[in-house]
Amino acid sequence: MEVIEVTNSELVNAFHRVPESIYKNDPNYIPPLKRMIENTFDPAKNARFKRGDARRWVLKSEGKYIGRIAAFYDQNYASSYDQPTGCCGYFECINNQEAANILFGTAKNWLQQHGMEAMDGPVNFDENFFFWGLLNEGFQPQTFGMNYNPAYYFYLFENYGFKTYYEQYSYSLDITDPDLPERFWKIADWVAKKPGYSFEHFTYKDQKKYIDDFIEIHQKAWGNHGNYKPLDFDVLKATLNNAKILIDEEFIWYVYHDGKPIAFFMQILDLNQILQKIKSGDLTLWNIVKLLYYKSRKVITRCRVIVLGVIPAYQGKGIESGIFHHLKKVMLKKSWYNDMEMSWVGDFNPKMNALFKSFGAEKKLTHHTLRYLFDREKEFKKAPIIH
């Protein structure tokens, strides 16, 4: 077996071809957008290269590409833990432990050369909204940006020495369902009308204001968590502008109290419902035409909630219910949307898990973010609980 660093267009194509043989008989697999992956590895389009670096490799055996992996680090993420921690992702491999070990070892060695002492995976060299975690429960077609993998991947990671750092749960909910708890909607209606509170949805026209407000909410809502990683304005701006096809402005909501931002909600369109029909992650001109056609035909019926945050001083006041009050009106107006996937919530966040269950949401998926400590004698610690 030969591991080869991806350094030219031919090897980039090989990197993208690896999943073809692994998933050729799996009807649940939906190819991710190649352009989205390539943007991750482009320093001109990924602001994380300002404080980090990334590499990727393919594994070749008997003339065939049988695996791939990427490794990356950025100083904000690395410095958030007890030891400098890098990451690996975009892992694909045949069911062969030796092949997997070569890939993991390659990523580990490169990260060690850059001062890292641990490796998280499979994750993304970007915000954790996309391609984050190893699927371990809910082997079904995934919503856009959610990792899908064969069940045996968990054992490849585990046998190498990775352990679960935290579990990630995703829930399903039809917000227009009349059987949702009546108490929930009474609270929602009450909160939505409280004096001093205002609710407004995102617009690209005022995106600078909304990005700034989101960063402020995010810092206040999650800044006290031991593993908090500050957000970067340029990263968020690039993500929003690269993802316009996924975004309906009326699906991103902010809450203000006396003019100050206190809560944020964002859901994106499940583009995978179209990509599953196209059966290709290549955005050729013809595929773009088909994508736009299917979108106009309202093929997308599902949305994916990627973040919901309320600053601590306003938690427990029903603010989330007020957001859903306004969102329900939008979804009733756009009645072809009938399913919300709320993803993902870490097992370290019991309050948010309890909140989603109180909405009447049903847990559908479990992903794992795994960690490998390079010092095999060091004590392994799971992600701390948010209280």
Side-chain angles (χ1 to χ4, degrees):
M1 296 184 195
E2 180 187 10
V3 66
I4 307 166
E5 184 176 343
V6 175
T7 56
N8 57 44
S9 58
E10 180 182 343
L11 290 168
V12 167
N13 289 333
F15 185 84
H16 289 293
R17 287 199 308 272
V18 170
E20 293 175 3
S21 59
I22 293 171
Y23 298 101
K24 63 181 178 182
N25 297 317
D26 189 340
N28 291 325
Y29 176 70
I30 303 169
L33 290 176
K34 293 178 183 177
R35 183 181 297 176
M36 189 174 179
I37 294 175
E38 286 309 300
N39 287 347
T40 302
F41 294 99
D42 184 348
K45 296 180 179 178
N46 187 347
R48 291 189 183 274
F49 279 96
K50 294 177 183 177
R51 53 182 181 271
D53 202 358
R55 290 290 185 279
R56 50 182 162 163
W57 301 266
V58 289
L59 185 64
K60 196 172 187 179
S61 177
E62 299 179 355
K64 296 180 180 179
Y65 292 102
I66 61 171
R68 73 180 196 187
I69 200 168
F72 26 82
Y73 70 90
D74 79 74
Q75 294 302 335
N76 280 358
Y77 189 96
S79 61
S80 300
Y81 302 102
D82 293 340
Q83 66 288 310
T85 301
C87 301
C88 66
Y90 298 103
F91 172 85
E92 303 286 0
C93 189
I94 62 171
N95 193 359
N96 181 296
Q97 191 66 53
E98 181 185 359
N101 288 353
I102 291 172
L103 291 168
F104 293 139
T106 300
K108 173 201 167 189
N109 290 340
W110 183 81
L111 288 169
Q112 274 187 312
Q113 292 168 17
H114 291 83
M116 300 298 109
E117 297 175 11
M119 173 169 65
D120 287 353
V123 300
N124 181 24
F125 192 43
D126 206 337
E127 297 301 334
N128 61 14
F129 308 143
F130 301 117
F131 307 126
W132 203 279
L134 189 71
L135 182 66
N136 197 38
E137 180 183 357
F139 289 90
Q140 61 192 42
Q142 301 293 291
T143 53
F144 186 81
M146 293 293 286
N147 268 343
Y148 180 83
N149 52 264
Y152 68 79
Y153 277 20
F154 190 84
Y155 302 104
L156 295 180
F157 276 82
E158 193 175 51
N159 290 338
Y160 183 75
F162 282 89
K163 294 182 180 180
T164 297
Y165 185 57
Y166 54 80
E167 295 183 14
Q168 304 154 227
Y169 307 129
S170 298
Y171 298 82
S172 180
L173 176 71
D174 178 359
I175 196 173
T176 64
D177 185 348
D179 293 329
L180 288 184
E182 184 180 354
R183 178 178 174 274
F184 171 76
W185 290 118
K186 285 183 178 178
I187 295 172
D189 186 57
W190 174 70
V191 171
K193 297 174 181 176
K194 286 184 71 175
Y197 289 86
S198 59
F199 296 76
E200 56 188 73
H201 67 77
F202 170 86
T203 65
Y204 273 101
K205 180 171 67 74
D206 296 317
Q207 64 173 301
K208 182 183 185 307
K209 162 191 167 358
Y210 288 119
I211 293 172
D212 285 337
D213 289 348
F214 174 60
I215 291 173
E216 181 178 341
I217 294 165
H218 192 274
Q219 193 281 324
K220 290 179 178 177
W222 289 284
N224 63 344
H225 185 226
N227 298 325
Y228 175 73
K229 294 168 282 296
L231 296 178
D232 184 287
F233 180 94
D234 291 334
V235 170
L236 289 175
K237 184 178 179 181
T239 299
L240 276 171
N241 287 292
N242 289 335
K244 284 188 176 181
I245 197 166
L246 303 173
I247 289 175
D248 183 318
E249 292 181 342
E250 290 185 297
F251 285 168
I252 304 175
W253 282 86
Y254 288 78
V255 187
Y256 297 85
H257 184 240
D258 294 336
K260 296 179 180 179
I262 62 166
F264 173 82
F265 170 93
M266 180 179 187
Q267 67 177 7
I268 59 174
L269 307 182
D270 181 16
L271 196 66
N272 272 4
Q273 290 182 298
I274 294 178
L275 297 180
Q276 192 171 30
K277 294 180 177 295
I278 295 175
K279 300 184 186 305
S280 171
D282 256 329
L283 282 185
T284 61
L285 179 59
W286 179 233
N287 281 341
I288 291 173
V289 170
K290 288 195 288 185
L291 190 154
L292 294 174
Y293 168 77
Y294 282 124
K295 190 178 182 187
S296 71
R297 300 291 294 175
K298 300 181 173 55
V299 165
I300 298 177
T301 61
R302 182 170 58 190
C303 305
R304 179 184 158 216
V305 180
I306 59 175
V307 64
L308 170 60
V310 182
I311 69 174
Y314 292 87
Q315 291 174 5
K317 298 181 182 292
I319 302 300
E320 303 89 351
S321 302
I323 294 172
F324 277 74
H325 171 89
H326 289 274
L327 187 64
K328 182 180 180 179
K329 290 189 288 186
V330 174
M331 295 191 76
L332 285 171
K333 181 175 65 176
K334 303 176 180 184
S335 57
W336 57 95
Y337 296 113
N338 56 27
D339 186 17
M340 292 171 59
E341 178 180 285
M342 296 187 284
S343 59
W344 47 264
V345 187
D347 60 1
F348 52 79
N349 193 345
K351 288 182 180 178
M352 191 60 72
N353 279 288
L355 178 69
F356 282 1
K357 290 174 184 176
S358 75
F359 295 164
E362 179 184 358
K363 189 176 83 167
K364 288 290 185 72
L365 309 173
T366 302
H367 286 76
H368 290 235
T369 291
L370 303 149
R371 174 166 291 179
Y372 180 84
L373 298 176
F374 299 166
D375 180 354
R376 305 308 295 154
E377 301 301 316
K378 185 168 183 172
E379 179 187 3
F380 183 89
K381 299 177 183 177
K382 291 198 70 175
I385 301 295
I386 296 177
H387 296 290

